[in-house]
Amino acid sequence: MGKHGRVTETTLAPAAVGATVHAADSPDAPWWRDAVIYQIYPRSWADADGDGIGDLPGITARLPYLKDLGVDAVWLSPFYVSPMHDAGYDVADYRDVDPRFGTLADADAMIARAHDLGLKVLVDLVPNHTSSEHEWFRAALAAAPGSPERDRYVFRDGRGPHGEEPPNNWPSVFGGRGWSRVTEADGTPGQWYLHLFDTTQPDLNWHNPEVRAEFESVLRFWCDRGVDGFRVDVAHGLVKRDGLPDWHGAVGLYDEVLTEDGPDAVGDPAVLDHNATGDAPMWDQEGVHEIYRSWRAVLDSYGSPGRILCAEAWVKPEERLARYVRPAEMHQAFNFDFLETPWDAARITAVVESSLRSNDAVGAPTTWVLSNHDVVRHASRLGLDQSLPRTNGIRAGEPQPDAALGLRRARAYSALMLALPGGAYVYQGEELGLPEHTTMPDDVRQDPTFHATQREVTGRDGCRVPMPWTHDGPSLGFGPGDHPWLPQPEAYAGLAVDQQDGVEGSTLELYRTLLRLRREHRLGGGSLAWDAAASATVVAFRVAAQGDPGVLVVTNTGADPVTLPDGEVLVASGPLDDAGTLPADTTVWLRVAAG
Ligand code: NOJ
């Protein structure tokens, strides 16, 4: 949605109090149905060798921190060989580790250490495109039009008398055209190749059996090394509509609408809701599902305890997204509708109910998420005017978030999320309440979006800043070097792990408590029913696993305190007063009496 448009009001049906919206899992449900998975962004988590870029040995050394935090698994963004034009989402070799991150032996050691600690490991799979430095793309450039080498990608002749116009009007998600023209071996201007993302990320042709075989082999390669699953990048993009027809809607995934006319050219919600119409010819085509059924068979062949696929699919409405997690397909799909829901009780209630219902309809768990490496961190997002659409990055000179308000709401929203039945993803640093870096100098920005839009769209660097482990020292304990690849904002020193560890009321201790209670009460496998404490400004629900009385969760999204229901407070996201009220922007979990 364009950054100047306002979110349109929707009319929401009042949720039925007492109604069970979601039934509990059986106690022997597989691990992934309720797992809390921590996303590590490898270049920004821990830097063992001091070159300013995080690495696998750094991750391995810090894994005990995650055991203490209380998560079940980690997902690592790509660490494969890459020229890094899109921070590793441009893969040149799917079977090797980029030297900046370490070696294959380091990957093996990381997986082994995680398993020793009882943590499962998911890696990232990037199947929509390779890097332009992948050997396949080099071979395609060297080969002639119509060759088997070109057929692995989406090469087409151009339109116009001399083929000088791109084959269709599709823009790139990052800005600019979605096609680039190559120079043929004889030096003449030649065919065009499709890249829905950066020019260095050519889209693969998923109609080609060699492409299918290759990715099944890559899945096996990492399964054989012991990984427990894959987060699948752009899972809704692999197959394009036959004939590659022109498209006049939006293609953006990360907030801004990018059209041929540049970002934010469209303000019409009908156009913005492109996926709701099912019309976008580059997204959510029926053919993707067959691919995931074949992958599921590969993973299932490894037997118990089950290796998983998690879809990164920006698909609307929820019923369309649920099709990715039908029984023979993927296990999880990120609930981006939840992530995009502003701080508003009615909207939160509605999205929780509708997403549980649509996933339940296919027997899948719902996968909750509030932050990742592509969106403004929720501690900052929630400190912005909630009536405005999400922005893609924030920079100096733009309206700045209210940091205290954002953090209060982030803690409350996370406390709500971690009580919900299903799985949840936690993005590195959210357990510290880290804000977005909103004043980063433009000349250090690396997101291709920033450059492809001639600096019009700020992009995602602000959520990718290296972790602060200590309040002082080089790069705040990120590594022994003084120069992390992106600068850390001043606020990070006070939020470092060593400033919060063991400190009552800190965000880190809040997350540890939430995760411990979630595990003790098996909330991830619980049922969910709405509670009478709900109101226009209050979300209230009960979650209970089989054989456990469960917890009552109450979140006040309003500006004024509300009456706190009776009951023992198990955890609160912020200070409570003695007046028996629940302050603004606060979540509590209350013990529910047994019987
Ligand atoms: C989604 C990833 O999360 C994002 O970081 C990346 O730029 C695009 N896919 C393209 O691979």
Short mmCIF file of all heavy atoms in Angstrom, two decimals, residues 39 41 75 77-78 86-90 124 126 128-129 173-174 197-198 201 231-234 253-254 312 314 372-374 447-449 460 464, ligand 1:
data_model
loop_
_atom_site.label_atom_id
_atom_site.label_comp_id
_atom_site.label_asym_id
_atom_site.label_seq_id
_atom_site.Cartn_x
_atom_site.Cartn_y
_atom_site.Cartn_z
N GLN A 39 14.39 -16.58 14.35
CA GLN A 39 15.06 -16.28 13.09
C GLN A 39 16.40 -15.61 13.34
O GLN A 39 16.49 -14.53 13.92
CB GLN A 39 14.22 -15.35 12.20
CG GLN A 39 14.94 -15.04 10.88
CD GLN A 39 14.29 -13.96 10.04
OE1 GLN A 39 13.22 -13.45 10.38
NE2 GLN A 39 14.95 -13.58 8.95
N TYR A 41 19.48 -13.84 11.48
CA TYR A 41 19.93 -13.21 10.23
C TYR A 41 21.46 -13.28 10.30
O TYR A 41 22.08 -12.48 11.00
CB TYR A 41 19.40 -11.78 10.19
CG TYR A 41 19.48 -11.15 8.83
CD1 TYR A 41 18.74 -11.66 7.76
CD2 TYR A 41 20.28 -10.03 8.60
CE1 TYR A 41 18.82 -11.08 6.51
CE2 TYR A 41 20.35 -9.45 7.35
CZ TYR A 41 19.62 -9.98 6.31
OH TYR A 41 19.69 -9.40 5.07
N TRP A 75 15.74 -20.66 12.58
CA TRP A 75 15.75 -20.56 11.12
C TRP A 75 16.84 -19.56 10.77
O TRP A 75 16.87 -18.47 11.30
CB TRP A 75 14.38 -20.11 10.60
CG TRP A 75 14.46 -19.31 9.31
CD1 TRP A 75 15.26 -19.53 8.24
CD2 TRP A 75 13.71 -18.11 9.01
NE1 TRP A 75 15.07 -18.56 7.27
CE2 TRP A 75 14.13 -17.68 7.71
CE3 TRP A 75 12.73 -17.38 9.68
CZ2 TRP A 75 13.59 -16.54 7.10
CZ3 TRP A 75 12.20 -16.25 9.06
CH2 TRP A 75 12.63 -15.85 7.79
N SER A 77 18.52 -17.28 7.85
CA SER A 77 18.46 -16.71 6.51
C SER A 77 19.70 -17.20 5.74
O SER A 77 20.64 -17.71 6.34
CB SER A 77 18.41 -15.18 6.60
OG SER A 77 17.10 -14.77 6.93
N PRO A 78 19.73 -17.05 4.41
CA PRO A 78 20.75 -17.74 3.60
C PRO A 78 22.19 -17.43 4.01
O PRO A 78 22.54 -16.29 4.27
CB PRO A 78 20.48 -17.23 2.19
CG PRO A 78 19.07 -16.83 2.19
CD PRO A 78 18.77 -16.31 3.57
N ASP A 86 21.58 -9.17 -2.85
CA ASP A 86 20.36 -9.08 -2.02
C ASP A 86 20.61 -9.85 -0.73
O ASP A 86 19.83 -10.72 -0.34
CB ASP A 86 19.14 -9.65 -2.79
CG ASP A 86 17.85 -9.48 -2.00
OD1 ASP A 86 17.80 -8.62 -1.11
OD2 ASP A 86 16.88 -10.23 -2.29
N ALA A 87 21.74 -9.51 -0.09
CA ALA A 87 22.07 -10.07 1.22
C ALA A 87 21.96 -11.60 1.27
O ALA A 87 21.52 -12.16 2.27
CB ALA A 87 21.19 -9.43 2.29
N GLY A 88 22.35 -12.26 0.19
CA GLY A 88 22.39 -13.72 0.21
C GLY A 88 21.15 -14.38 -0.37
O GLY A 88 21.14 -15.60 -0.57
N TYR A 89 20.09 -13.60 -0.64
CA TYR A 89 18.91 -14.16 -1.32
C TYR A 89 19.17 -14.23 -2.84
O TYR A 89 18.25 -14.37 -3.63
CB TYR A 89 17.64 -13.38 -0.98
CG TYR A 89 17.12 -13.76 0.39
CD1 TYR A 89 17.46 -13.04 1.52
CD2 TYR A 89 16.32 -14.89 0.55
CE1 TYR A 89 17.01 -13.42 2.78
CE2 TYR A 89 15.86 -15.27 1.81
CZ TYR A 89 16.21 -14.54 2.92
OH TYR A 89 15.77 -14.93 4.15
N ASP A 90 20.42 -14.11 -3.19
CA ASP A 90 20.88 -14.29 -4.58
C ASP A 90 21.96 -15.37 -4.49
O ASP A 90 23.12 -15.10 -4.26
CB ASP A 90 21.43 -12.97 -5.15
CG ASP A 90 22.39 -12.23 -4.20
OD1 ASP A 90 22.25 -12.32 -2.96
OD2 ASP A 90 23.32 -11.57 -4.72
N ASP A 124 17.24 -21.68 4.85
CA ASP A 124 16.43 -20.94 3.87
C ASP A 124 16.62 -21.58 2.50
O ASP A 124 17.74 -21.91 2.12
CB ASP A 124 16.91 -19.49 3.83
CG ASP A 124 15.79 -18.50 3.67
OD1 ASP A 124 15.03 -18.64 2.70
OD2 ASP A 124 15.70 -17.57 4.50
N VAL A 126 15.90 -20.84 -1.55
CA VAL A 126 15.55 -19.72 -2.44
C VAL A 126 15.32 -20.28 -3.85
O VAL A 126 16.24 -20.31 -4.67
CB VAL A 126 16.67 -18.65 -2.43
CG1 VAL A 126 16.23 -17.41 -3.20
CG2 VAL A 126 17.07 -18.29 -1.01
N ASN A 128 12.89 -19.35 -6.25
CA ASN A 128 12.26 -18.56 -7.32
C ASN A 128 13.29 -18.06 -8.32
O ASN A 128 12.99 -17.90 -9.50
CB ASN A 128 11.51 -17.37 -6.72
CG ASN A 128 10.85 -16.53 -7.79
OD1 ASN A 128 9.91 -16.99 -8.45
ND2 ASN A 128 11.35 -15.33 -8.02
N HIS A 129 14.50 -17.82 -7.80
CA HIS A 129 15.55 -17.24 -8.64
C HIS A 129 16.90 -17.71 -8.13
O HIS A 129 17.03 -18.09 -6.98
CB HIS A 129 15.50 -15.71 -8.59
CG HIS A 129 15.28 -15.19 -7.19
ND1 HIS A 129 14.04 -14.84 -6.71
CD2 HIS A 129 16.13 -15.02 -6.15
CE1 HIS A 129 14.14 -14.46 -5.45
NE2 HIS A 129 15.40 -14.57 -5.08
N VAL A 173 9.77 -6.21 -8.02
CA VAL A 173 9.32 -5.89 -6.66
C VAL A 173 10.21 -4.82 -6.04
O VAL A 173 9.77 -3.99 -5.25
CB VAL A 173 9.35 -7.16 -5.78
CG1 VAL A 173 9.10 -6.84 -4.32
CG2 VAL A 173 8.35 -8.19 -6.28
N PHE A 174 11.48 -4.82 -6.41
CA PHE A 174 12.41 -3.87 -5.81
C PHE A 174 12.41 -2.50 -6.50
O PHE A 174 13.08 -1.58 -6.05
CB PHE A 174 13.85 -4.42 -5.89
CG PHE A 174 14.12 -5.57 -4.95
CD1 PHE A 174 15.19 -6.42 -5.18
CD2 PHE A 174 13.32 -5.80 -3.84
CE1 PHE A 174 15.47 -7.47 -4.32
CE2 PHE A 174 13.59 -6.86 -2.97
CZ PHE A 174 14.67 -7.70 -3.21
N PHE A 197 12.82 -9.74 -8.85
CA PHE A 197 13.52 -8.99 -7.81
C PHE A 197 14.67 -8.22 -8.48
O PHE A 197 14.45 -7.58 -9.50
CB PHE A 197 13.95 -9.96 -6.69
CG PHE A 197 12.72 -10.51 -5.98
CD1 PHE A 197 12.09 -11.67 -6.41
CD2 PHE A 197 12.15 -9.81 -4.91
CE1 PHE A 197 10.94 -12.13 -5.80
CE2 PHE A 197 11.00 -10.28 -4.30
CZ PHE A 197 10.39 -11.43 -4.73
N ASP A 198 15.88 -8.32 -7.95
CA ASP A 198 16.99 -7.54 -8.49
C ASP A 198 17.39 -8.05 -9.88
O ASP A 198 17.13 -9.22 -10.22
CB ASP A 198 18.17 -7.64 -7.50
CG ASP A 198 19.27 -6.67 -7.82
OD1 ASP A 198 18.99 -5.47 -7.96
OD2 ASP A 198 20.43 -7.12 -7.95
N GLN A 201 19.00 -11.36 -9.94
CA GLN A 201 18.23 -12.51 -9.44
C GLN A 201 17.29 -13.04 -10.54
O GLN A 201 16.07 -12.87 -10.44
CB GLN A 201 17.44 -12.11 -8.19
CG GLN A 201 18.34 -11.81 -6.99
CD GLN A 201 17.58 -11.14 -5.85
OE1 GLN A 201 17.05 -10.05 -6.02
NE2 GLN A 201 17.52 -11.78 -4.71
N ARG A 231 12.70 -22.83 5.30
CA ARG A 231 11.80 -21.69 5.07
C ARG A 231 11.92 -21.41 3.57
O ARG A 231 13.03 -21.29 3.04
CB ARG A 231 12.26 -20.53 5.94
CG ARG A 231 11.53 -19.21 5.68
CD ARG A 231 12.26 -18.38 4.66
NE ARG A 231 11.75 -17.02 4.59
CZ ARG A 231 12.08 -16.17 3.64
NH1 ARG A 231 12.93 -16.51 2.69
NH2 ARG A 231 11.58 -14.97 3.62
N VAL A 232 10.80 -21.39 2.88
CA VAL A 232 10.82 -21.32 1.42
C VAL A 232 10.54 -19.89 0.95
O VAL A 232 9.45 -19.36 1.15
CB VAL A 232 9.81 -22.31 0.81
CG1 VAL A 232 9.83 -22.22 -0.71
CG2 VAL A 232 10.12 -23.73 1.27
N ASP A 233 11.56 -19.30 0.35
CA ASP A 233 11.51 -17.91 -0.10
C ASP A 233 10.54 -17.74 -1.28
O ASP A 233 10.55 -18.56 -2.21
CB ASP A 233 12.93 -17.52 -0.53
CG ASP A 233 13.10 -16.04 -0.76
OD1 ASP A 233 12.90 -15.28 0.19
OD2 ASP A 233 13.45 -15.65 -1.90
N VAL A 234 9.75 -16.68 -1.24
CA VAL A 234 8.83 -16.34 -2.34
C VAL A 234 8.06 -17.59 -2.81
O VAL A 234 7.96 -17.86 -4.02
CB VAL A 234 9.56 -15.71 -3.55
CG1 VAL A 234 8.59 -14.89 -4.40
CG2 VAL A 234 10.71 -14.82 -3.13
N LEU A 253 5.83 -6.63 -2.32
CA LEU A 253 5.62 -7.53 -1.18
C LEU A 253 5.87 -6.81 0.13
O LEU A 253 5.34 -7.18 1.15
CB LEU A 253 6.61 -8.70 -1.23
CG LEU A 253 6.68 -9.51 -2.50
CD1 LEU A 253 7.63 -10.66 -2.29
CD2 LEU A 253 5.32 -10.03 -2.86
N TYR A 254 6.72 -5.81 0.10
CA TYR A 254 7.19 -5.24 1.35
C TYR A 254 6.67 -3.83 1.51
O TYR A 254 7.42 -2.88 1.56
CB TYR A 254 8.71 -5.27 1.43
CG TYR A 254 9.25 -6.59 0.97
CD1 TYR A 254 9.98 -6.69 -0.19
CD2 TYR A 254 8.95 -7.74 1.67
CE1 TYR A 254 10.44 -7.91 -0.62
CE2 TYR A 254 9.40 -8.96 1.24
CZ TYR A 254 10.15 -9.05 0.09
OH TYR A 254 10.59 -10.26 -0.34
N GLU A 312 7.06 -18.69 2.76
CA GLU A 312 6.99 -17.23 2.74
C GLU A 312 6.12 -16.88 1.54
O GLU A 312 6.58 -16.85 0.41
CB GLU A 312 8.37 -16.59 2.58
CG GLU A 312 8.29 -15.08 2.74
CD GLU A 312 8.99 -14.25 1.67
OE1 GLU A 312 9.35 -14.78 0.60
OE2 GLU A 312 9.14 -13.04 1.89
N TRP A 314 3.23 -14.16 0.31
CA TRP A 314 2.43 -12.95 0.56
C TRP A 314 1.16 -13.08 -0.28
O TRP A 314 1.05 -12.50 -1.36
CB TRP A 314 3.22 -11.70 0.23
CG TRP A 314 4.41 -11.48 1.11
CD1 TRP A 314 5.62 -12.09 1.01
CD2 TRP A 314 4.50 -10.62 2.25
NE1 TRP A 314 6.46 -11.65 2.02
CE2 TRP A 314 5.81 -10.75 2.79
CE3 TRP A 314 3.61 -9.73 2.88
CZ2 TRP A 314 6.24 -10.03 3.91
CZ3 TRP A 314 4.05 -9.02 3.99
CH2 TRP A 314 5.34 -9.18 4.50
N ASN A 372 10.41 -9.59 10.93
CA ASN A 372 11.44 -10.37 10.23
C ASN A 372 12.40 -9.38 9.55
O ASN A 372 12.31 -8.17 9.80
CB ASN A 372 10.81 -11.39 9.26
CG ASN A 372 10.06 -10.73 8.13
OD1 ASN A 372 10.40 -9.63 7.68
ND2 ASN A 372 9.03 -11.39 7.63
N HIS A 373 13.27 -9.90 8.70
CA HIS A 373 14.30 -9.05 8.11
C HIS A 373 13.78 -8.22 6.93
O HIS A 373 14.58 -7.57 6.25
CB HIS A 373 15.46 -9.93 7.64
CG HIS A 373 15.03 -10.87 6.54
ND1 HIS A 373 14.15 -11.91 6.75
CD2 HIS A 373 15.32 -10.89 5.22
CE1 HIS A 373 13.92 -12.52 5.61
NE2 HIS A 373 14.62 -11.93 4.66
N ASP A 374 12.49 -8.27 6.66
CA ASP A 374 11.92 -7.52 5.54
C ASP A 374 10.98 -6.40 5.98
O ASP A 374 10.47 -5.67 5.12
CB ASP A 374 11.11 -8.47 4.63
CG ASP A 374 12.00 -9.43 3.85
OD1 ASP A 374 13.13 -9.05 3.49
OD2 ASP A 374 11.55 -10.57 3.60
N ASP A 447 20.20 -2.22 0.91
CA ASP A 447 19.03 -2.89 0.32
C ASP A 447 18.89 -2.50 -1.15
O ASP A 447 18.83 -1.31 -1.48
CB ASP A 447 17.78 -2.46 1.10
CG ASP A 447 16.54 -3.23 0.66
OD1 ASP A 447 16.54 -3.81 -0.45
OD2 ASP A 447 15.57 -3.26 1.43
N PRO A 448 18.81 -3.51 -2.05
CA PRO A 448 18.66 -3.19 -3.47
C PRO A 448 17.44 -2.31 -3.78
O PRO A 448 17.44 -1.56 -4.75
CB PRO A 448 18.55 -4.56 -4.15
CG PRO A 448 18.34 -5.56 -3.06
CD PRO A 448 18.88 -4.96 -1.81
N THR A 449 16.42 -2.40 -2.92
CA THR A 449 15.23 -1.56 -3.12
C THR A 449 15.60 -0.09 -3.12
O THR A 449 15.08 0.70 -3.92
CB THR A 449 14.22 -1.79 -1.96
OG1 THR A 449 14.04 -3.18 -1.80
CG2 THR A 449 12.91 -1.11 -2.21
N ARG A 460 15.04 -2.04 3.73
CA ARG A 460 15.00 -2.90 4.91
C ARG A 460 16.25 -2.91 5.76
O ARG A 460 16.34 -3.68 6.72
CB ARG A 460 14.67 -4.32 4.42
CG ARG A 460 13.35 -4.39 3.63
CD ARG A 460 13.25 -5.62 2.75
NE ARG A 460 14.21 -5.57 1.67
CZ ARG A 460 14.48 -6.57 0.84
NH1 ARG A 460 13.85 -7.72 0.98
NH2 ARG A 460 15.38 -6.45 -0.12
N ARG A 464 17.97 -4.77 10.00
CA ARG A 464 19.00 -5.81 9.82
C ARG A 464 20.31 -5.48 10.54
O ARG A 464 21.34 -6.07 10.25
CB ARG A 464 19.27 -5.97 8.31
CG ARG A 464 18.05 -6.39 7.55
CD ARG A 464 18.28 -6.42 6.05
NE ARG A 464 17.13 -7.02 5.39
CZ ARG A 464 17.05 -7.23 4.08
NH1 ARG A 464 18.05 -6.88 3.29
NH2 ARG A 464 15.97 -7.79 3.55
C1 NOJ B 1 12.04 -12.69 0.48
C2 NOJ B 1 13.20 -12.45 1.39
O1 NOJ B 1 12.78 -12.51 2.72
C3 NOJ B 1 13.78 -11.11 1.02
O2 NOJ B 1 14.72 -10.68 1.94
C4 NOJ B 1 14.34 -11.20 -0.37
O3 NOJ B 1 14.81 -9.93 -0.77
C5 NOJ B 1 13.28 -11.67 -1.37
N1 NOJ B 1 12.50 -12.75 -0.88
C6 NOJ B 1 13.90 -12.10 -2.66
O4 NOJ B 1 14.58 -13.31 -2.48
#
